[in-house]
Amino acid sequence: MLDFKKIIADKIKEAINIENIREYIEVPTNKEMGDYSLPCFKLAKEMKKAPQMIANDIKEKIKIDEEIISKVDVVNGYLNFYINPLAITKTVLENIGNEKEQYGGSSIGNGKNIVIDYSAPNIAKPFHIGHLRSTVIGGALYKIYKFLGYNVVGINHLGDYGTQFGKLIEGYKRWGKEYNIDENPIDELTKIYVRINNLCKEDEAVLEECRNNFKKLEDGDEYCTNLWQKFRDVSLKEFQKVYDLLDVDFDSWNGEAFYSDKMGEVIELLKKSGKLVESEGAEVVDLSDKDMPPCLIIKSNGSTTYATRDLAAILYRARTYDFDKAIYVTSYEQILHFKQIFEVAKLLGLDKKYTDNLIHVSFGMVQLKTGKMSTREGNIIKLEDLLNEAITRASEIIENKNPDLDNKEEVAKKVGLGAVIFNDLYNSRIKDEIFDWDTMLNFNGETGPYLQYTYVRTNSVLEKVGNTPELSTVDATLLNDNASINLIKELYNFGEIIKQAADKNEPYIISRYLIDIAHLFSTFYTENKIINDDKKLQDARVYLTYCTNIVLKTGASLLGISMPEKM
Ligand code: ARG
């Protein structure tokens, strides 16, 4: 792929000798200002010369190849470069044509390891909407990094540990037969939990039994371990239904319990560092110099914490995966937790290469039109039900729009799930997500179904002509109208967009880009007659349609959205 930014940077280097000049080059938001621009203000300080003068000097000194750069202009201290549209067209058609589904991918990640910790629901509790966001955002990042050549390890750090399991074991021991936990695991286990919890409040002796069970579980007692395993298995079976629908998978299912025998080392290391101090009977790391509350490592009753297990996980992941980045995807409610453990992790004697690359990727809440969706407020929404409702609603719309369609069920599944996923990834993560069926399923809005619908339109063009022409027969000079050129320029940016999304851990950069592509295609489609008496012109336009088709499909797949071939 011709790298125009590099070509321009090299040109500028011929005129002035500045390190990393590439980083100075911008893509102007105002298209009138060229395709690339060099603002000379920062250079002016370094070179002690007026920006306008620098721009003029460079312009004078460089010789341009008009087949690539058609014009260079100085405007108010900016040096603006206009790329010859034909050069862009040729490189775009050639690269998409040759690379197909690989177009936009890269090898920048080769040899680098990325660990992504996402989804992580809690065993025996409902898989709630916050975990849906973690699953969707984490799943997208997983695919994005892979596409850039990284070796990615997806980890489901399940909440499968803690004193509540002592209670569940006690409840099950007493009344297990009354509940059908194989059929309806989460609901039934929740009922058992509520019941035993009430009993504990009335009867201290029962609470003591529960504590004992947890202790036994930690010591590897067979009865307790088997029950815990059963709770874990039935819960996972239920969670798997959501993962199957979303087509999300993990390389490791090591949850919190996996670290139960690995926390001793953390505690030893923290002791050695001299920073583990006693406070009201508990052991904490004081973080007042970092303006944070202390990080609780051992509670006053002797048990370890969520933080202790996360610290053990950092040690384990550094050693096992030798990560270049370790990413954690959770809601912003855990910002403090991660700030604390990332700080405490510096006391574990790990190489800075690990502790400098712990990244918390946080996201906002989901707002129903009626308010926050959370399990705590009692309006539990089961994810499986929610996803199935999306599919049902999509299927009603399809029934209406296209009752004769083949594979209606499969299409409805893709459209319904695509709508939910796209809605989740449409805004910058930290913004609260508004969950509204009508908005996300609107075929004309900035939605998943709209992208799918645009993709289907490209398909029907390709189907109508039968064979996509050979690249070598396509005359790129015929794609010289504005609508075609604007679409081509945006297709050119695909690879850069994916890198930006990875840099910022923001899948929405890809979502917005795909919407732009869909809009540009729509304009191209209305302004140009694709099926044409002029066969040469038709071939060129069909080829551009084919390129758009590939980018839409690849881009959507990076978000976790599958495209129906018809809808
Ligand atoms: N199970 C936790 C929760 O539901 C999320 C775990 C996130 N990952 C981690 N390493 N702490 O809040």
Side-chain angles (χ1 to χ4, degrees), residues 258-512:
F258 177 76
Y259 299 98
S260 61
D261 62 352
K262 298 176 180 59
M263 287 181 278
E265 188 185 359
V266 170
I267 293 161
E268 280 315 304
L269 287 166
L270 292 178
K271 274 190 187 146
K272 250 198 246 155
S273 78
K275 300 277 171 135
L276 192 64
V277 294
E278 213 232 85
S279 160
E280 297 168 36
E283 305 272 339
V284 307
V285 175
D286 180 75
L287 294 170
S288 51
D289 58 334
K290 303 282 174 210
D291 278 331
M292 284 188 266
C295 182
L296 185 59
I297 303 295
I298 306 173
K299 291 189 209 162
S300 53
N301 67 10
S303 54
T304 55
T305 66
Y306 178 53
T308 327
R309 288 184 283 286
D310 256 330
L311 289 164
I314 293 176
L315 265 187
Y316 179 82
R317 291 172 188 176
R319 289 169 184 160
T320 312
Y321 305 117
D322 182 28
F323 61 78
D324 293 87
K325 265 192 219 174
I327 291 171
Y328 297 81
V329 189
T330 80
S331 88
Y332 66 69
E333 290 172 308
Q334 297 195 37
I335 287 180
L336 177 62
H337 165 76
F338 284 105
K339 267 194 172 165
Q340 288 179 309
I341 63 157
F342 293 171
E343 201 49 51
V344 177
K346 294 181 189 161
L347 306 171
L348 300 177
L350 283 170
D351 196 302
K352 252 173 90 68
K353 100 167 230 221
Y354 302 118
T355 50
D356 282 350
N357 288 297
L358 298 165
I359 302 163
H360 182 213
V361 166
S362 56
F363 54 79
M365 294 293 158
V366 179
Q367 313 263 9
L368 274 183
K369 275 202 162 162
T370 49
K372 184 171 152 184
M373 256 202 237
S374 98
T375 50
R376 259 171 252 150
E377 286 164 23
N379 54 343
I380 300 176
I381 297 170
K382 267 212 215 161
L383 285 194
E384 194 198 339
D385 295 345
L386 182 119
L387 296 177
N388 283 325
E389 179 167 354
I391 297 171
T392 311
R393 285 173 180 262
S395 114
E396 283 159 12
I397 298 173
I398 289 163
E399 196 56 61
N400 244 322
K401 285 198 194 270
N402 192 353
D404 300 328
L405 184 71
D406 293 337
N407 310 322
K408 266 188 282 197
E409 264 170 51
E410 203 193 307
V411 175
K413 194 172 158 192
K414 289 180 175 172
V415 172
L417 297 172
V420 173
I421 295 172
F422 191 86
N423 188 58
D424 202 295
L425 299 177
Y426 178 61
N427 281 312
S428 144
R429 298 178 255 112
I430 202 64
K431 280 204 183 163
D432 282 355
E433 173 185 339
I434 312 293
F435 198 96
D436 174 44
W437 290 117
D438 293 338
T439 310
M440 69 179 96
L441 281 162
N442 182 349
F443 280 40
N444 300 313
E446 304 198 339
T447 62
Y450 169 66
L451 286 183
Q452 291 168 322
Y453 176 67
T454 309
Y455 172 78
V456 166
R457 270 168 104 188
T458 62
N459 262 351
S460 46
V461 171
L462 298 177
E463 197 174 295
K464 213 176 273 167
V465 295
N467 290 327
T468 305
E470 288 295 321
L471 174 62
S472 58
T473 66
V474 174
D475 181 354
T477 62
L478 300 175
L479 297 171
N480 57 3
D481 60 288
N482 277 337
S484 302
I485 290 170
N486 290 339
L487 174 58
I488 290 164
K489 281 187 176 173
E490 199 63 337
L491 293 171
Y492 174 79
N493 292 331
F494 190 40
E496 203 48 48
I497 288 289
I498 299 169
K499 284 186 199 133
Q500 271 176 32
D503 254 8
K504 302 199 165 109
N505 295 306
E506 281 285 18
Y508 92 95
I509 294 176
I510 297 178
S511 317
R512 295 287 172 111

